[in-house]
Amino acid sequence: VDGEFGPKSITSLQHVLGVTEDGILGTETITAIQKKVGAKADGIWGTETSTKLQEFLGVTADGVAGPETFKALQNWLNKELG
C-alpha cells in the first residue's frame, strides 16, 4: 500500500470488479468503478467519480483522487482479495 495507483493496483481492481484485467484504467474499468460507487456511469473519470469513490472508501471527499484515496483503495482491494 503505497498510494501509487499503477498497473498492478489497476489489475487487482479489475479482478475485483470482474472486468478485463489489462492494467489500464480505461473506459470499461472506470464505468465499473462508477457503478460500484454510485457515480454516473459514463466511463469518464471526473470530480463526481472521485468524490463518490472517496465517500465509498470513507476518506475526505474533496473530489481529487490522490495518495490518500489510492491508499484507501489499495487497502479496500487487499480486503476484497483476502
Side-chain angles (χ1 to χ4, degrees), residues 6-53:
K8 190 172 180 179
S9 296
I10 294 168
T11 301
S12 295
L13 176 62
Q14 291 167 329
H15 180 78
V16 169
L17 295 173
V19 298
T20 304
E21 296 177 35
D22 61 7
I24 298 169
L25 189 60
T27 304
E28 179 187 21
T29 305
I30 293 171
T31 300
I33 293 167
Q34 291 168 326
K35 288 178 181 177
K36 179 77 176 172
V37 302
K40 180 181 176 187
D42 59 7
I44 301 168
W45 192 291
T47 304
E48 180 191 7
T49 302
S50 293
T51 300
K52 293 287 189 178
L53 176 62

Side-chain angles (χ1 to χ4, degrees), residues 56-69:
F56 176 83
L57 295 170
V59 298
T60 303
D62 63 3
V64 179
E68 178 187 12
T69 303

